[in-house]
Amino acid sequence: MSKVPYEVYTEDVEALSVLSPDGEVINKDKLPALTDDQLKEIMYRMVFTRTWDDRAVNLGRQGRLGFYAPVSGQEATMIGSEFALQKEDFICPGYRDIPQLVWHGLPLYQAFLYSRGHQHGGQIPDGVNVLMPQIIIGAQILHATGIAMGFKLKNQKNVAITYTGDGGSSEGDFYEGLNFAGRFKLPVIFFVQNNGYAITTPFSKQTASKSIAHKAVAAGIPGIKVDGMDIFAVISAVQEAAERARNGEGATLIEAVTYRFRPHSLSDDASKYRSKEEEGQWSEKDPIARLAKYLEKKGLWTEEDTARVKEEAKATVNEQIKKAEQTEKMTVSGLIDSMFEATPKHLEEQKADFE
């Protein structure tokens, strides 16, 4: 029996890139086949999402939102991965992955209700295949694995995708999910957005593994590392993983190396553990600026287009936050009733006592 040298697992793997920071295609073989309209739609979503993020941060500081996790810098991983899916596919998000839910069909005002802790923020409309964001780090990985098992048992050609950060890849649920998916060849994509820090803990202190992608080896599934600031690399990787899953070839682990320009949350001070030099280096890889350069060279996008989308996004966010704020206030009775089609007798009695 041949032996694989240990050095194979201690060497880093190069991240897949398709588009250079200057907007030049450097890997034609992995360039997704996208129409001009699709390219403009992707750019629209990225600019809209960053503008929405800017506004949401301000809303949080005004007390008009509850918990909010900023996303600026991670638009390529979020927008690109969702765009590569079909609407019938299922998304199991972490707490930061709100953009994927909204672009998959969740109304924006409900995302705001979720942030405000309102029960109707989790009332998913029919036909929108998402779960609500999971606060427990890594728990969504098990949910996606279970949904994928359901797809397989029903012979459905659908895919489940789940997201976590690099910190989530240190959780037990992460390894359990990968192991189960590998054993049963489940149609699930494990998408890790490695932004270098689990709140304040740098990736180098989380694991001895050279990459998260390496961790696929033990589960017997493919692991790929991509440039998470390159939306074409993300789309290409997710499309290939989804195709494998639909063909019965099982799960894929994708590590997207990215960078979040804002702090971990509104209560975090990233300046305590990240340097200005580091932030400056990553800003040169801004996923929106990178795609804009590519589209401008093709004559598909201008600065005026960016300005137009920003204004549209601001107006939409203002409209949707007002709708969330005008939603009827929660009550204990309403919360109990919303949990059941027919409220059990013992809870009816408790409601009466409370009222």
Side-chain angles (χ1 to χ4, degrees):
M1 183 181 356
S2 63
K3 293 183 178 180
V4 179
Y6 177 72
E7 287 73 23
V8 169
Y9 305 109
T10 58
E11 293 177 358
D12 198 359
V13 291
E14 185 177 353
L16 169 67
S17 291
V18 177
L19 199 63
S20 75
D22 295 327
E24 297 290 341
V25 176
I26 56 177
N27 190 339
K28 291 184 178 180
D29 292 340
K30 294 295 183 179
L31 182 66
L34 300 167
T35 66
D36 288 351
D37 285 343
Q38 286 176 319
L39 289 169
K40 289 188 286 186
E41 175 64 20
I42 289 168
M43 186 63 180
Y44 171 90
R45 294 184 182 190
M46 293 178 76
V47 174
F48 189 106
T49 299
R50 181 163 300 180
T51 307
W52 153 24
D53 186 59
D54 291 341
R55 182 70 178 125
V57 168
N58 290 333
L59 290 170
R61 289 172 176 160
Q62 294 168 13
R64 297 172 71 185
L65 289 180
F67 176 77
Y68 181 74
V71 303
S72 290
Q74 296 187 205
E75 292 90 354
T77 60
M78 294 175 163
I79 306 305
S81 60
E82 192 282 329
F83 196 86
L85 301 173
Q86 299 173 3
K87 288 302 179 183
E88 294 76 21
D89 295 330
F90 226 102
I91 294 179
C92 301
Y95 52 77
R96 195 180 308 279
D97 303 303
I98 308 298
Q100 297 96 303
L101 304 186
V102 170
W103 294 116
H104 211 60
L106 183 74
L108 182 55
Y109 85 94
Q110 285 193 254
F112 290 148
L113 285 176
Y114 158 78
S115 177
R116 291 163 65 89
H118 197 290
Q119 69 197 63
H120 292 311
Q123 192 173 13
I124 310 296
D126 291 340
V128 178
N129 291 340
V130 304
L131 296 183
M132 288 312 296
Q134 178 56 250
I135 293 294
I136 301 172
I137 306 299
Q140 65 273 19
I141 294 167
L142 302 183
H143 301 161
T145 305
I147 290 171
M149 175 61 92
F151 286 154
K152 181 166 185 175
L153 292 174
K154 293 180 178 180
N155 294 315
Q156 292 180 223
K157 298 296 183 181
N158 302 119
V159 176
I161 187 170
T162 184
Y163 299 86
T164 192
D166 43 300
S169 72
S170 298
E171 294 288 332
D173 287 350
F174 175 81
Y175 294 97
E176 291 175 13
L178 261 65
N179 185 64
F180 194 86
R183 168 60 185 83
F184 292 101
K185 298 191 73 172
L186 301 182
V188 57
I189 301 170
F190 303 101
F191 195 100
V192 180
Q193 299 173 90
N194 182 357
N195 58 47
Y197 296 89
I199 307 184
T200 62
T201 305
F203 180 67
S204 61
K205 292 186 177 182
Q206 293 180 53
T207 179
S209 179
K210 288 296 183 181
S211 77
I212 293 170
H214 279 79
K215 299 185 179 187
V217 174
I221 65 175
I224 182 172
K225 185 176 180 181
V226 303
D227 179 353
M229 308 297 270
D230 176 357
I231 195 161
F232 289 162
V234 173
I235 291 174
S236 176
V238 175
Q239 283 180 337
E240 289 185 13
E243 183 177 4
R244 288 189 65 258
R246 296 187 212 285
N247 291 337
E249 298 174 45
T252 303
L253 170 62
I254 298 175
E255 174 190 4
V257 182
T258 184
Y259 198 80
R260 187 180 60 254
F261 296 144
R262 294 187 182 277
H264 172 79
S265 68
L266 301 187
S267 60
D268 176 39
D269 182 1
S271 67
K272 294 184 181 298
Y273 55 90
R274 298 195 319 197
S275 68
K276 290 293 184 183
E277 180 182 9
E278 176 184 288
E279 293 176 353
Q281 291 173 347
W282 279 98
S283 68
E284 295 176 0
K285 302 177 182 180
D286 188 319
I288 295 181
R290 183 182 294 197
L291 181 60
K293 291 173 184 176
Y294 174 78
L295 296 183
E296 287 168 2
K297 291 172 185 176
K298 292 175 67 70
L300 297 176
W301 198 264
T302 65
E303 292 183 1
E304 289 74 19
D305 290 320
T306 296
R308 171 182 54 79
V309 176
K310 285 182 177 180
E311 290 305 311
E312 181 179 335
K314 290 175 184 177
T316 300
V317 169
N318 288 341
E319 172 192 318
Q320 295 292 296
I321 189 64
K322 288 179 181 177
K323 185 172 182 178
E325 291 173 333
Q326 292 168 358
T327 300
E328 185 179 0
K329 301 293 184 183
M330 286 179 61
T331 64
V332 172
S333 298
L335 179 59
I336 292 173
D337 287 339
S338 70
M339 299 301 293
F340 301 91
E341 183 176 5
T343 306
K345 182 179 179 181
H346 72 283
L347 288 181
E348 289 286 6
E349 293 171 350
Q350 290 181 33
K351 263 183 17 182
D353 288 343
F354 178 82
E355 293 169 349

